[in-house]
Amino acid sequence: MKAVRWVLGLIVMGLHYLTLPRRGKRSPQEQQQVESALADYKLYQLPTCPFCVKVRRAMRRLNLPIELRDVRADGRHRQDLTNDGGKMKVPCLRIDHADGHSEWMYESSEIVAYLERRFPLQK
Ligand SMILES: N[C@@H](CCC(=O)N[C@@H](CS)C(=O)NCC(=O)O)C(=O)O
């Protein structure tokens, strides 16, 4: 089972790198504003999880360098996701709001739709 997962992960990563989406463009000022807003965002994820790859591809397309938190490599991230997010499932987008509360958004499609709405690229 571990070997099958490893091979599938390799295929997912291979396809991902072979078909990397083009990074979206903003003016330098706009990109700077976006990047300072992104300090409040973290993506809890795994490198080879296909749902995480889907979110990372959208981040690249939208040019959103959000901090990635690998829940397998770092036990603290796994613990935060489980205890504060509520479940050990990835991808999960953590949004730290100005009033101090953190929002934990699970579901890759919801995360992608949120990022597209919140950080649109100019057409
Ligand atoms: N419908 C979810 C599926 C996410 C999912 O199944 N993630 C797997 C890793 S590829 C996971 O975290 N599984 C652990 C679990 O479900 O407890 C999405 O689109 O984000």
Side-chain angles (χ1 to χ4, degrees), residues 46 48-52 54 88-91 106-109 111:
L46 287 170
T48 57
C49 154
F51 304 98
C52 303
K54 172 175 147 187
M88 176 45 217
K89 193 169 197 169
V90 289
Y106 289 90
E107 286 304 317
S108 54
S109 301
I111 296 171

Side-chain angles (χ1 to χ4, degrees), residues 14-61:
L15 287 174
H16 168 55
Y17 282 112
L18 284 174
T19 61
L20 269 182
R22 195 179 296 214
R23 213 185 287 280
K25 284 209 164 52
R26 294 184 180 84
S27 70
Q29 294 90 331
E30 277 174 335
Q31 187 63 25
Q32 203 173 15
Q33 279 175 359
V34 164
E35 291 188 18
S36 51
L38 291 180
D40 297 334
Y41 291 75
K42 280 97 197 166
L43 185 75
Y44 289 73
Q45 56 104 45
L46 287 170
T48 57
C49 154
F51 304 98
C52 303
V53 169
K54 172 175 147 187
V55 174
R56 295 203 309 270
R57 289 174 72 83
M59 284 165 46
R60 184 179 166 94
R61 195 165 36 76

Side-chain angles (χ1 to χ4, degrees), residues 70-119:
D70 186 324
V71 296
R72 190 167 292 148
D74 193 324
R76 283 169 311 171
H77 295 332
R78 196 165 49 247
Q79 211 169 9
D80 289 346
L81 178 64
T82 311
N83 296 346
D84 302 336
K87 51 187 169 180
M88 176 45 217
K89 193 169 197 169
V90 289
C92 179
L93 182 68
R94 171 179 170 175
I95 309 166
D96 294 324
H97 290 283
D99 65 4
H101 97 278
S102 297
E103 184 180 347
W104 298 79
M105 187 182 292
Y106 289 90
E107 286 304 317
S108 54
S109 301
E110 198 186 325
I111 296 171
V112 171
Y114 170 84
L115 293 175
E116 285 172 345
R117 267 197 321 273
R118 173 70 179 81
F119 300 105

